[in-house]
Amino acid sequence: MRTPAIRAAAALAAAALTASGCGLAAPGSGGAGQDGPVDGPADGAITFQTWNLKADYEEFFTGVIEDFEEANPGARVRWLDQPAEGYADKLSADAAAGTLPDVVNVAPDLVHPLAEAGMVLDLDRARPGAAGAYTADAWAGFTVPGEDGTYAYPWYLNTGPVFYNRALFEEAGLDPDAPPTTYDELFDQAQRMAEATGGKTAMLGQTPGIIDLGLYGSQAMNEDGTRFTFNDAAGVEMVERYKELYDAGALVPEALTQDYTGAGEQFMSGAIAWAPGSAYDLENFRTNAPDLYENVGITEVITNTGRAHMYLQGLAVSAESEDPATAAAFAEFVTNAANQEAFAHEVQIFPSTKGSLDDPYFTEEDGTDEGRVRVAAAAQLESATSYTPVVFGDQMQNLLRDEIALAMRGDKSPQQALDDAVDRCNALLEEG
């Protein structure tokens, strides 16, 4: 449920580099700035790589590059944009070959193996004081367990409301003006919808993942970030509740299949009544599902912690860059408050810079559904956090999904399924 250009670049991206699988080795002695502050004039030639943004935002980024070059005589920026498919593999191949672009678009999970291999700058050392421009939670999103430092500049953020189908609520005898606001209410209404429709309509379209467990109150890892712990009481309780929903027909059975595409398409087609989304989904509904758009309801994310999930994108600087001062200066320019706020007017994302969310654009509704979603999402970001550990890669996500599917089918108890998922994920973590 995302626009094509942003879908892969948003923090919902599933693909992840893993240090054990991508063949990364420690960098050679080529680049400058690996061991201390990076300063000097920004007058070199660098490459800048984004993630599936050029098709829709070429004019915006061309303007940003021109502004930077004008402000820094001698600087030259060559923009590369990679497609959504295979982006993680492309980063892995470039890193292994020593051809990582000078400034590269990353999500927290993508920067993790690069940081462990020493292939991106530790910005706390390379650019002392840079952290002050960004919110603390956004800056912390690019730290790595077991490593000192921060390995990417926070760029744009997202979080989202929950969308629900008012027409399906009415058909099931539920009040479309009183959507669930707690998990108890969600599970109760999901059961009632399944009963009222004879299992024809399910409320939910996805088994819980690591983010859902976090929102419910489970702790993904210990405080040191060295072991997974999501098999705690909260995690088990959530899986137990979902098992009850699955048995009642309140969760679509397709959610347990290996090739399942997710709740978004199910919601768009009217097969389910409830789906988490993000601030830019309404335009997708208007264009591709006009009947749904006329009946869509918008409500807040349900959480037991009081904190929504924050999706985060960033810009990392290659430790092998021949012009690290130019690269770092450009990354700071792209992610400064003015440019982040301008980008937020191009697409429904949110800046990570301090004070930016105080702008009336993010605090005052303009009478449109989009404005309502934007203001609600911005308010959520005030306290949002990331529930996905940077070390929780794609293989681990698949393991958790598979174990929960076994619990849904009754092949394992919820406790055993999460115990096994934790054991297997910790084994992968130890392999590193």
Side-chain angles (χ1 to χ4, degrees):
M1 295 187 348
R2 284 161 171 73
T3 58
I6 296 289
R7 182 182 295 115
L12 285 175
L17 292 169
T18 56
S20 60
C22 65
L24 300 185
S29 58
Q34 297 180 32
D35 300 318
V38 168
D39 50 25
D43 58 3
I46 61 168
T47 51
F48 166 49
Q49 179 171 288
T50 52
W51 186 354
N52 199 30
L53 294 178
K54 193 168 188 176
D56 289 341
Y57 307 107
E58 181 171 8
E59 182 177 354
F60 175 81
F61 285 104
T62 297
V64 171
I65 290 169
E66 289 175 350
D67 289 346
F68 177 76
E69 291 177 343
E70 182 177 350
N72 297 275
R76 291 292 179 268
V77 179
R78 183 165 68 94
W79 180 22
L80 311 172
D81 187 67
Q82 298 298 333
E85 185 176 356
Y87 187 75
D89 292 336
K90 173 63 174 172
L91 279 185
S92 173
D94 286 346
T99 57
L100 196 68
D102 297 278
V103 177
V104 61
N105 186 182
V106 291
D109 58 342
L110 298 183
V111 84
H112 164 243
L114 301 176
E116 285 200 327
M119 292 185 170
V120 289
L121 291 183
D122 170 5
L123 301 176
D124 288 326
R125 290 195 300 167
R127 304 291 278 193
Y134 309 90
T135 65
D137 283 336
W139 189 260
F142 288 101
T143 59
V144 175
E147 302 284 340
D148 293 328
T150 304
Y151 295 90
Y153 291 98
W155 193 6
Y156 57 89
L157 314 175
N158 222 317
T159 188
V162 172
F163 297 105
Y164 64 98
N165 189 316
R166 294 176 59 90
L168 294 182
F169 268 57
E170 289 180 344
E171 290 174 11
L174 301 174
D175 185 352
D177 294 320
T181 59
T182 67
Y183 281 107
D184 284 342
E185 291 177 356
L186 174 64
F187 297 147
D188 174 65
Q189 291 192 31
Q191 291 265 10
R192 289 163 58 191
M193 178 172 286
E195 293 169 1
T197 63
K200 177 185 175 182
T201 303
M203 178 82 83
L204 303 172
Q206 196 83 41
T207 55
I210 197 70
I211 295 171
D212 303 290
L213 295 175
L215 290 167
Y216 198 76
S218 177
Q219 297 297 313
M221 302 191 80
N222 60 12
E223 291 185 2
D224 296 332
T226 57
R227 303 287 293 176
F228 290 105
T229 60
F230 53 81
N231 58 338
D232 55 11
V236 172
E237 181 179 287
M238 184 175 219
V239 177
E240 289 174 343
R241 300 294 296 272
Y242 265 78
K243 166 63 173 165
E244 295 172 1
L245 297 178
Y246 180 74
D247 290 343
L251 172 69
V252 290
E254 294 89 341
L256 274 59
T257 61
Q258 287 283 345
D259 58 352
Y260 183 57
T261 56
E265 292 184 11
Q266 296 278 351
F267 185 71
M268 292 273 285
S269 69
I272 63 172
W274 180 272
S278 60
Y280 35 67
D281 284 325
L282 280 174
E283 181 59 35
N284 190 27
F285 299 157
R286 181 189 289 112
T287 302
N288 298 311
D291 290 341
L292 170 64
Y293 180 75
E294 292 300 320
N295 288 287
V296 72
I298 305 168
T299 189
E300 294 182 357
V301 170
I302 295 175
T303 169
N304 285 339
T305 66
R307 306 187 76 183
H309 179 68
M310 176 176 67
Y311 301 97
L312 179 62
Q313 287 290 313
L315 295 180
V317 177
S318 171
E320 293 289 275
S321 174
E322 294 297 330
D323 295 285
T326 303
F330 179 71
E332 290 171 5
F333 185 79
V334 175
T335 62
N336 69 24
N339 282 321
Q340 288 209 46
E341 290 167 16
F343 192 36
H345 283 261
E346 297 284 327
V347 63
Q348 291 274 32
I349 51 86
F350 301 91
S352 62
T353 40
K354 284 183 179 177
S356 290
L357 293 180
D358 295 331
D359 187 283
Y361 183 70
F362 303 109
T363 62
E364 298 177 6
E365 295 186 19
D366 57 10
T368 65
D369 285 338
E370 287 81 0
R372 176 185 166 198
V373 172
R374 180 175 63 248
V375 171
Q380 285 182 180
L381 282 169
E382 295 285 344
S383 61
T385 188
S386 175
Y387 291 102
T388 305
V390 296
V391 295
F392 195 76
D394 188 54
Q395 188 175 2
M396 295 175 184
Q397 294 181 49
N398 291 335
L399 286 173
L400 176 58
R401 181 198 62 204
D402 292 346
E403 290 293 342
I404 288 180
L406 292 173
M408 296 297 103
R409 296 189 182 101
D411 296 330
K412 292 183 179 182
S413 70
Q415 182 71 68
Q416 188 62 56
L418 288 186
D419 286 347
D420 291 346
V422 163
D423 288 344
R424 296 173 70 186
C425 288
N426 279 333
L428 289 173
L429 193 62
E430 291 174 0
E431 292 173 7

